[in-house]
């Protein structure tokens, strides 16, 4: 095993489309049968992937999903969840949680987190039925909270998977909000098309004295405008670039039966036959 091999495997892992990490891992195993330790050597890439993708996991004995992110990370590959007041070990390679323990959040913003969670839950249920969200204090900034949401939809039988991620940083001292919105969709039936889009949210002041409800209302407006922008972009792609790539039907408005091309007039001319 060389550092070059580990770097290549790490790149594959970090670039895995949503919902397809297990497929990428199986492909890596098939391509490197002689090196059983290569996945373990690439563990940092798994960690980076899971934290950046806001991977969700269900704790043992629970039906609710919790988030994996840099904001709720503890030492020794452990993470915590505010709602269940627990911490847990997380294996980044297998994406499994274990060793659940009690963990009570100690933060000056504990009440604010509770106040923000209520309208955030309503917002998520209304717009993202299959989503997981959480709010964590930002360790590097005592006055800042990270408001996270991820929503995934997988349809491998129809050859497509997608994930939406939103990360907002709310500064309670200045009542300002910044954020990053990401969408990643992979379509792979008879081809391989992947759309990744990212929008940075500039610093936005929150009115109403920074009330929790107003924070979430601002987030809702930002996401509505972003989705409308995406819809317009998809329309332009459909009528522009994608349409120019699509093979047009012949004037007969029927598909060419290529196995019978010799019977067509053009086919005979190409082949030197008579008209």
């Amino acid at each position: 095993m060389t550092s070059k091999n580990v770097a290549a495997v790490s790149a594959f892992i970090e670039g895995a489309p949503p919902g397809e990490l297990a497929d990428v891992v199986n492909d890596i195993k098939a391509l490197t049968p002689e090196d059983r330790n290569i996945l373990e050597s690439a563990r940092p890439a798994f960690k980076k992937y899971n934290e950046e993708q806001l991977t969700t996991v269900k704790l043992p004995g629970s039906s609710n999903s919790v988030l994996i992110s840099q904001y709720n990370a503890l030492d020794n590959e452990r993470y915590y969840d505010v709602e269940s007041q627990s911490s847990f070990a997380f294996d980044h390679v297998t994406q499994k949680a274990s060793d659940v323990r009690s963990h009570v959040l100690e933060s000056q913003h504990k009440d604010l987190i509770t106040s923000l969670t209520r309208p955030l839950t309503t917002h998520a249920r209304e717009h993202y039925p299959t989503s997981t969200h959480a709010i964590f204090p930002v360790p590097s900034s005592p006055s800042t909270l990270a408001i996270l949401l991820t929503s995934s939809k997988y349809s491998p039988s129809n050859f497509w998977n997608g994930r939406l991620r939103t990360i907002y940083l709310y500064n309670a001292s200045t009542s300002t909000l910044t954020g990053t919105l990401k969408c990643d969709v992979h379509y792979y039936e008879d081809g391989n098309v992947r759309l990744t889009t990212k929008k940075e949210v500039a610093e936005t002041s929150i009115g109403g004295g920074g009330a929790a409800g107003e924070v979430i209302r601002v987030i809702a407006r930002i996401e509505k405008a972003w989705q409308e922008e995406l819809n317009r972009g998809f329309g332009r792609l459909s009528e522009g670039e994608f349409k120019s790539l699509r093979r047009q039907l012949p004037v007969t408005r029927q598909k060419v039966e290529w196995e019978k091309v010799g019977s067509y007039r053009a086919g005979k001319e190409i082949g030197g036959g008579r008209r």
Side-chain angles (χ1 to χ4, degrees):
M1 176 177 56
T2 66
S3 58
K4 185 176 180 180
N5 290 342
V6 174
V9 168
S10 296
F12 281 125
I13 292 168
E14 293 173 17
E20 298 173 42
L21 181 60
D23 297 323
V24 171
V25 168
N26 289 335
D27 289 342
I28 292 172
K29 289 179 179 178
L31 292 170
T32 59
E34 74 290 343
D35 193 346
R36 298 181 179 180
N37 297 320
I38 195 165
L39 292 178
E40 189 63 28
S41 300
R43 182 172 286 274
F46 283 102
K47 181 179 180 181
K48 182 179 179 182
Y49 178 87
N50 287 319
E51 290 186 350
E52 289 187 351
Q53 292 292 322
L54 301 183
T55 294
T56 60
V57 63
K58 291 182 179 179
L59 302 183
S62 174
S63 59
N64 296 324
S65 297
V66 297
L67 285 174
I68 303 297
S69 79
Q70 62 174 306
Y71 301 105
N72 62 323
L74 301 172
D75 294 332
N76 301 319
E77 295 193 352
R78 292 188 65 86
Y79 296 82
Y80 72 90
D81 176 57
V82 175
E83 185 175 353
S84 64
Q85 296 188 12
S86 61
S87 71
F88 54 94
F90 182 74
D91 189 315
H92 286 282
V93 178
T94 63
Q95 295 188 319
K96 300 293 184 182
S98 62
D99 190 21
V100 180
R101 304 175 188 173
S102 175
H103 182 90
V104 179
L105 177 66
E106 298 293 339
S107 171
Q108 61 177 321
H109 299 301
K110 189 174 181 179
D111 292 339
L112 178 57
I113 290 175
T114 301
S115 299
L116 285 166
T117 299
R118 296 191 190 102
L120 178 61
T121 298
T122 301
H123 169 70
R125 288 175 177 171
E126 181 178 353
H127 298 285
Y128 312 104
T130 57
S131 66
T132 302
H133 59 274
I135 303 174
F136 304 110
V138 177
S140 60
S141 178
S143 62
T144 304
L145 298 176
I147 304 173
L148 314 178
L149 182 145
T150 180
S151 180
S152 302
K153 195 165 185 180
Y154 307 141
S155 185
S157 60
N158 292 311
F159 306 100
W160 63 263
N161 297 299
R163 177 180 294 134
L164 176 143
R165 290 166 285 157
T166 62
I167 299 175
Y168 297 96
L169 298 179
Y170 174 63
N171 189 310
S173 297
T174 60
S175 295
T176 55
L177 185 79
T178 58
T180 304
L181 294 76
K182 298 179 180 180
C183 183
D184 189 349
V185 180
H186 184 215
Y187 180 77
Y188 50 99
E189 182 179 17
D190 294 331
N192 189 17
V193 178
R194 186 173 181 181
L195 169 71
T196 58
T197 181
K198 175 181 177 181
K199 179 179 179 63
E200 297 289 350
V201 179
E203 185 173 276
T204 303
S205 296
I206 305 297
E214 183 60 25
V215 173
I216 304 305
R217 279 191 286 273
V218 169
I219 286 175
R221 290 198 294 268
I222 290 171
E223 293 178 4
K224 180 181 179 182
W226 181 52
Q227 291 175 17
E228 290 175 346
E229 181 183 337
L230 286 177
N231 287 337
R232 289 192 294 270
F234 294 151
R236 289 192 296 269
L237 280 174
S238 178
E239 294 301 318
E241 287 81 354
F242 284 167
K243 189 172 183 180
S244 65
L245 290 173
R246 193 179 303 125
R247 186 174 63 191
Q248 300 294 318
L249 290 173
V251 292
T252 60
R253 310 301 295 172
Q254 295 178 344
K255 292 183 178 180
V256 175
E257 297 183 55
W258 294 104
E259 67 277 7
K260 299 180 181 179
V261 70
S263 64
Y264 293 113
R265 178 178 176 179
K268 289 182 178 179
E269 290 178 349
I270 293 172
R274 295 181 179 180
R275 296 183 179 180

